[in-house]
Structures are given as C-alpha cells and as structure tokens.
Amino acid sequence: MKMANLAINHINKSFGNLTVLKDIDIAIEDGEFLVLVGPSGCGKSTLLSIIAGLDDHTSGSITIDGKSVQGLEPKERDIAMVFQSYALYPAMTVEQNIGFSLEMSKMPKPERLERVGKVADLLQIRHLLKRRPGQLSGGQRQRVAMGRALVREPKIFLFDEPLSNLDAKLRVEMRTEIKKLHQRLGATIVYVTHDQIEAMTMATRIAVMKDGILQQFGTPEDIYDRPANVFVATFMGSPPMNLLPAVIVDGSQGLSIQGADAMLPVPFSAVTRAPQGKKVLLGIRPEWLSLASTSTYQPTLDLYVEVVEPTGPDIFVALRLGEREIMGRLPTGSRTRVGEKARFAVDLSKAVLFDAETGIAI
Amino acid sequence: MSLSKRLGKIMPAIVLSPSLAVVTLCVYGFMAYTALLSFTDSKMFARFDFVGWRQYGRLFESPRWIIAIENMAIFGTLYIVCATCLGLFIAILIDQRIRFEGVFRAVFLYPMALSFVVTGVIWQWLLNPGLGLEHMMRELGWTSFTFQWLIEPNRAIYTIVIAGVWQVTGFVMALFLAGLRGVDTEILRAARIDGAPIHKVYTRIIIPALRPAFLTVFVIEAHLAIKSYDLVVALTKGGPGVSTELPSTFMYSMTFTRNELAVGAASATVMLVTLASIIIPYLYSELRHEPTT
C-alpha cells in the first residue's frame, strides 16, 4: 500500500466577507489517521473538499507526499473519497461502481476485475457484485463506497462523515472495521465527523475545529486530558468536562470555588502559572472524581448527590456544590444514595485550569 | 344523524356519477361504437350490415393509407428522436447553474402554451417561400437562397417535424431538467474524484440515471405523434397532394368528406390499438413498482 504524509499549510478560505476557514495549519505523517471534528458549520467538510481538490481555497497550500498539489484536479492528487450519501452511481452494478475509476484510467479489463474482486473479498461483498445500489441496504452501500475508494490504492483516503447515515449498532461495527482496515493497510486517512466518540476511538491525530478556526491539534490523549480551551474541553467527552468558576488565593497555592464554600489546591499542571486573585475555570472530567475513602490523601469536596443514573459499566451521578452542578462518573457498585452528602476525591494531577476571560488553558 | 351519515356515504357517488356517465358514454361508448362501425359497410350514414374484416382489408389496400402510415413512421421517428435529443441537450445546458435560468426555462417552455393550430399557422408563414425564411434571405441579398420544403411533396413532411419539434422540445426539456435536478450532487463530486471526463459523466452516470424521465418523455411524445392532426391541418392540410397525410387526417377525410364511414372507423380503430399498445405497458410498469433509486 502506498502511503504519504499530508501537510495543510495556512489554508484560508472566504466568500466575500465571510471567512469559512482561517489559517488552518496541520501536518500528519505516513499512515496516520487524522480526524477533523467539530460542530456543523465549522468548516471541516470544506477543508476536506479542499484537500480533495473539489473546492478552491483563497490562500495557503496543500502538499501530499512532499509535493504541492496546487491546481491539480482531484484525479491527479492520488486520493480517494468516501461520501456521506455514499454517492454510488445508481445505474451501474456494484462491480462497475467499484471499477469505474480504474476504467476511467484505462486499466485493461482482466486486471480491473481482479482488483475489484480483491477489494470485494476484503470487504466481504463479493456476493453483491452484480447488484445495483438500489437493491442494497445502508450498510452494504457503505461497504461499496469504501470499496470504490480502496480499489484505487490511493496515497490518502478521505472520509466525509461516512457513518452518519447508519443506525447506531451498525455505526459501531463499521467504526471498528474502518479502524481495522487502517491498521491492516497502514494507509493515511483524513476523516471528517461531528461525533466526538468517533474521533476519540479512531484517530491517531485529532483536529478540533470551530467557526473555521483550528482549536486544537493533537493526539486523542492530548485533546481529552489537556484541552487547549474551554470549547475543546466541553465538546470532547460525554458527559462534558465540569467547569467550576474559581479565584486563585493563598499566594497562588489555593482555589476558592465561587458560589460555594469550598477550597482546593491549584492543579499540578497550573502551579506557579496562575497569579493571586486571577479568575479561572477549574476543569474536572466526571471520571476524575471518586468516592473518598478514609485513607485518601487527595483533596476532597463534600458534594450533595441529586441524581444517580446507572448505565451498566458506570454510574453517572449529578452532584451539587453550592449553586454549581457537577457530573461524576463512578464504577458500578459504588455506594451512593440520592439525597445524601458524600465526600469525593478530586484527581488534581489531571484537573486543568482555564483563564475565565479568554477560555484558554493555563 | 343517520341520514346525514348515509348521505355522507353516498355523496361521493352522487357527485361523481354525472361525469362518470358522460365519460362512459361519450368516450368509451363512442369508442366501442366506432369499433363496431368498422365491421359494417357504412358509407355516409351508419348501417349495421356486418361485413367482418373487409373494411380493414380495404384500408390496407388503399395507397393513401399506406402513405399515411409511412408518413407516420417518418414523422414519429424524427419527432421523437429530435425532440428527445434537443430537449435533453437544452436541459443539460440550463442545468449548468446559468444566470436567468427562470427566463430561459419560460422561453423554451412557451411554445407548449400555444395550440397546435397556432403553431401550424406560424410555421406555415415562416416556411412559405413567398413570405417567410426564403423571402427574408432574398431581401437580405442572398438572391439564390431557396427553401421550399413546404411545397415539395418529398420534403413537406419534414416541415411538420420541424414545427412539432419546436413545439414540444420545451416540455421535454422541463421533464429532463426535473430529472437532472434529482441527481445527487455528491455523485458528480465522486465522478470528479474517479477522474471521469465530463462527457463520460453524462453518458455513463447521469443519462442512465434519467431512465424514468426517458420513459415518460417517450410515452408523451409517442402519443402526441400518433394523434397529431391539427398541426398538419394548419400547416399543410395534408398536401401537397396527399404527401403529408397522416392516419388522423386520413381518418377525418374518409369519415366526413368521402362518405366512407366504415373505413374511417377502421383506421380510427387501428390508431386506437397502436396507442393502447404504447400506453398500457407504460401505465402497467408505472403502477406496478415504484421507481428505485
């Protein structure tokens, strides 16, 4: 399998006064799985179209395998794309659909059929080759769309929300399957989604976007544990990260939680970086809270348990601290009762601080 | 309560029955009557002396009917092929996100708003050597220009094709345009990624996807072609001589001017059967299964 690195260099795109993409700068290595994630309208699909060469950009450049693809037609960029609606050709059989790009590049028929057959075996759709798209289920169409991309053996695969039209169960299955495919082929992939779980589970690199601006680019662990700003912190993860307004006190050593009579030390990551009196937001993911045992030496908060939601593997608990609501995630079997006050330990080695005014991580 | 309920139940039947009765009598009744007449030896008036298939034999021995059928074949084929190709071509051009699309659509659709008689008269003037195109070109200085299809027996049928195509093309265009608008734009993007040149995109992907539109267009054109009558009457009156005779004009003159009522009825029955053989399979396939996309 061919591979290639991809660099998106300071891409801007605007229509008149409307800026769609602003100075997007991302680079990935051979064989990486880049997920572009963000709410709808954030420009992620536009960026994908620009990489594909289907849309123009205003300034900046795209390089694939070290070479600029400026002005090249999509077919000359050695890429393949899977579309949200699958975009299968309705009047062609599955076999013709998959083989169409090879036919267009004038590959002789025997060789073409062999390649199509190989891909069909890989995706387990050989029995569907003579059918037309109208006779296939959603999951089968999805496989055909992937087959059409795989058969070209491109340098880079582009996926535009390919799973959003599938039902929940199939979506999880296909997620695993695409990830397996990525591991097996070692291909470079750019994948667009609005689903943060898809992003976390599949990516080796995530780019979080909002309003045409790149918010953070990093590994899934970076994004999840060390979000660059409040938007990333709350967009990634479900339930989202808890944000508690606080003020730095005690010579930059302590946090006074606003709206509650509670104090915590400053998280390790922000020690010495936050001046006395600064207004901040303390970010705590639900699973960074745990029921405190008597031997706990972590700092604790006394929280009032309002709602308990068992999900099977975990229990979500809605907690109250003064006027603030906090979500916690506890392992099944934790002893909590609605209406009681319990002592929770906070993992300050993970907790993060954000500047309350700019929303940027400290 | 029960009266109004019962009234409510039979009201649809009451409201529909007059038109149902009229349609049954005036359409299907007279169709059957015509078919019946074609098996008699009626001349000027209807008589019920049955003679079996003899009138059909006479019909197909009549050279004038053979000319009418040959003309029908020429006219029908050219009319369907030209209008379909031209309509599709214009629809593809209009589908290129052009400006003033609404204006162009209206301009091309406008001929359909005219009656066949008006179309016939317009083209009669345009094609008349002394008045129209030939006259204009000569006025402009091209004195040797001749365009006399309207008065040449071998060419006159083509003038009917021209006028007919001019009238129906806009409608065909509208049907194809609706079909083109139904094609998913992501398919076009996928085709670009697959490296298909623009003509292949049309011949391999888009036009095959328009199959249902083609079927509709064909059926509409075919039945318009077979029943076209007023166009010929207004444009050439079947002439010069009988060179632009069509089955419909043949039927009219046999029935109402040449006192051969039974032969006219036989020709009408032949036309009916031809039309039915086109339209019934179409309706059957349309009503049987929903189009799959």
Side-chain angles (χ1 to χ4, degrees):
Chain A
M1 186 50 88
K2 285 183 282 187
M3 290 191 292
N5 55 25
L6 167 72
I8 300 162
N9 306 314
H10 303 285
I11 288 286
N12 283 286
K13 181 175 177 65
S14 48
F15 298 105
N17 286 331
L18 179 73
T19 304
V20 185
L21 292 173
K22 198 172 171 195
D23 199 31
I24 305 284
D25 202 53
I26 297 171
I28 54 168
E29 295 300 313
D30 283 358
E32 286 215 79
F33 196 131
L34 168 67
V35 173
L36 304 174
V37 67
S40 31
C42 72
K44 55 193 190 293
S45 289
T46 309
L47 182 58
L48 196 73
S49 295
I50 289 172
I51 298 171
L54 292 170
D55 277 350
D56 295 327
H57 52 276
T58 315
S59 67
S61 69
I62 305 277
T63 58
I64 294 175
D65 212 6
K67 286 191 270 300
S68 170
V69 292
Q70 190 66 37
L72 291 185
E73 270 293 297
K75 63 169 177 179
E76 299 163 325
R77 298 188 176 200
D78 207 354
I79 47 137
M81 189 156 171
V82 178
F83 292 86
Q84 183 173 10
S85 66
Y86 315 138
L88 301 179
Y89 310 129
M92 292 187 203
T93 63
V94 167
E95 189 167 44
Q96 290 166 331
N97 259 285
I98 296 178
F100 189 64
S101 61
L102 304 181
E103 191 191 332
M104 288 299 110
S105 60
K106 307 207 164 56
M107 180 183 281
K109 197 168 179 190
E111 198 184 339
R112 197 165 82 213
L113 291 182
E114 197 196 316
R115 286 262 289 266
V116 172
K118 244 190 230 168
V119 167
D121 285 340
L122 183 70
L123 295 166
Q124 296 161 1
I125 51 172
R126 193 178 261 283
H127 60 293
L128 303 175
L129 283 180
K130 298 294 174 204
R131 297 211 202 153
R132 286 178 202 282
Q135 302 163 304
L136 303 179
S137 70
Q140 289 169 334
R141 285 183 211 192
Q142 157 81 77
R143 279 168 194 271
V144 176
M146 293 205 343
R148 203 167 57 177
L150 284 171
V151 80
R152 308 181 50 166
E153 300 180 4
K155 284 181 182 161
I156 296 181
F157 288 95
L158 306 175
F159 288 86
D160 189 4
E161 308 218 18
L163 305 184
S164 56
N165 289 340
L166 299 179
D167 63 54
K169 185 167 174 282
L170 207 51
R171 192 150 59 216
V172 174
E173 275 175 35
M174 288 308 292
R175 204 163 76 194
T176 315
E177 200 140 333
I178 292 175
K179 190 157 182 172
K180 260 191 218 159
L181 217 55
H182 172 242
Q183 286 164 358
R184 183 136 128 223
L185 302 174
T188 309
I189 294 179
V190 182
Y191 187 105
V192 163
T193 181
H194 62 268
D195 181 348
Q196 50 93 15
I197 296 180
E198 261 174 43
M200 287 298 296
T201 50
M202 301 168 94
T204 62
R205 285 278 188 285
I206 295 178
V208 185
M209 295 173 65
K210 184 195 167 207
D211 299 337
I213 296 168
L214 182 63
Q215 304 290 317
Q216 188 173 3
F217 172 60
T219 63
E221 297 73 40
D222 282 341
I223 302 278
Y224 191 77
D225 290 336
R226 291 174 292 283
N229 57 38
V230 171
F231 172 77
V232 177
T234 49
F235 185 77
M236 302 299 288
S238 171
M241 184 182 272
N242 298 297
L243 294 172
L244 298 174
V247 175
I248 307 282
V249 292
D250 281 352
S252 310
Q253 294 305 301
L255 278 172
S256 165
I257 311 287
Q258 302 292 290
D261 181 22
M263 292 281 290
L264 281 175
V266 170
F268 304 167
S269 61
V271 170
T272 74
R273 285 200 242 172
Q276 171 97 8
K278 189 168 180 62
K279 285 187 177 164
V280 294
L281 291 168
L282 172 64
I284 307 170
R285 291 226 176 258
E287 63 275 19
W288 296 345
L289 288 171
S290 55
L291 276 174
S293 61
T294 44
S295 60
T296 299
Y297 48 86
Q298 281 177 327
T300 58
L301 287 173
D302 288 333
L303 302 171
Y304 176 75
V305 181
E306 283 194 317
V307 181
V308 174
E309 302 170 344
T311 63
D314 298 310
I315 301 173
F316 290 139
V317 283
L319 307 165
R320 182 160 288 281
L321 173 67
E323 26 183 276
R324 306 286 160 202
E325 186 161 290
I326 301 178
M327 281 303 285
R329 178 188 220 148
L330 305 174
T332 295
S334 305
R335 280 182 211 180
T336 44
R337 276 224 303 275
V338 175
E340 71 177 15
K341 210 162 204 182
R343 181 156 288 186
F344 286 86
V346 182
D347 190 345
L348 282 186
S349 65
K350 292 191 166 167
V352 283
L353 272 194
F354 300 98
D355 187 318
E357 277 163 35
T358 62
I360 294 170
I362 293 171
Chain B
M1 187 62 198
S2 87
L3 180 73
S4 76
K5 239 183 183 174
R6 264 166 57 194
L7 206 63
K9 250 186 183 171
I10 57 168
M11 194 49 106
I14 293 175
V15 174
L16 284 176
S17 53
S19 58
L20 193 68
V22 169
V23 167
T24 309
L25 182 70
C26 295
V27 177
Y28 295 100
F30 286 119
M31 267 187 195
Y33 186 59
T34 304
L36 193 69
L37 279 182
S38 70
F39 293 104
T40 68
D41 68 347
S42 307
K43 290 286 184 187
M44 194 171 181
F45 298 104
R47 282 193 311 187
F48 291 92
D49 299 333
F50 290 96
V51 293
W53 295 91
R54 203 176 78 200
Q55 305 294 9
Y56 289 90
R58 286 183 62 205
L59 178 66
F60 281 94
E61 278 160 16
S62 154
R64 200 168 155 187
W65 173 250
I66 302 301
I67 288 175
I69 288 185
E70 281 170 2
N71 277 342
M72 186 73 248
I74 296 172
F75 171 70
T77 310
L78 286 176
Y79 176 76
I80 291 174
V81 170
C82 295
T84 306
C85 294
L86 207 59
L88 181 61
F89 181 66
I90 296 172
I92 288 173
L93 291 186
I94 287 190
D95 193 36
Q96 310 299 314
R97 292 189 202 156
I98 55 164
R99 274 210 235 176
F100 309 119
E101 186 195 308
V103 175
F104 282 107
R105 248 186 356 223
V107 165
F108 285 115
L109 206 48
Y110 191 67
M112 197 67 191
L114 301 178
S115 79
F116 286 99
V117 175
V118 175
T119 305
V121 170
I122 291 172
W123 282 94
Q124 192 192 30
W125 288 348
L126 280 174
L127 298 172
N128 185 322
L131 283 173
L133 195 62
E134 185 181 294
H135 181 69
M136 187 186 81
M137 296 305 271
R138 289 189 178 177
E139 288 280 288
L140 289 174
W142 188 353
T143 49
S144 61
F145 183 85
T146 40
F147 189 78
Q148 305 191 332
W149 285 14
L150 193 64
I151 53 173
E152 283 175 35
N154 292 334
R155 296 284 168 82
I157 187 70
Y158 299 108
T159 62
I160 296 177
V161 173
I162 293 172
V165 167
W166 177 81
Q167 177 153 37
V168 84
T169 294
F171 183 61
V172 171
M173 180 265 318
L175 287 173
F176 278 128
L177 191 57
L180 286 172
R181 289 288 148 84
V183 175
D184 180 4
T185 51
E186 277 201 340
I187 288 181
L188 304 182
R189 287 157 72 89
R192 259 183 87 192
I193 297 246
D194 276 348
I198 189 74
H199 66 275
K200 290 263 182 183
V201 173
Y202 277 102
T203 55
R204 294 292 308 280
I205 298 166
I206 296 179
I207 292 175
L210 292 179
R211 210 184 73 101
F214 270 99
L215 196 62
T216 307
V217 164
F218 172 73
V219 168
I220 288 173
E221 287 170 344
H223 94 269
L224 282 178
I226 291 174
K227 71 181 196 187
S228 56
Y229 168 78
D230 17 19
L231 192 61
V232 181
V233 169
L235 192 59
T236 65
K237 300 191 173 54
V242 291
S243 61
T244 55
E245 189 87 284
L246 286 181
S248 51
T249 56
F250 174 89
M251 187 275 293
Y252 181 85
S253 57
M254 281 297 153
T255 310
F256 300 109
T257 62
R258 306 223 356 207
N259 299 339
E260 289 281 7
L261 187 55
V263 176
S267 67
T269 308
V270 169
M271 285 165 65
L272 175 70
V273 170
T274 316
L275 261 179
S277 65
I278 292 173
I279 290 192
I280 288 175
Y282 169 71
L283 288 179
Y284 187 70
S285 76
E286 279 289 286
L287 300 176
R288 266 291 294 283
H289 50 89
E290 301 294 291
T292 52
T293 46

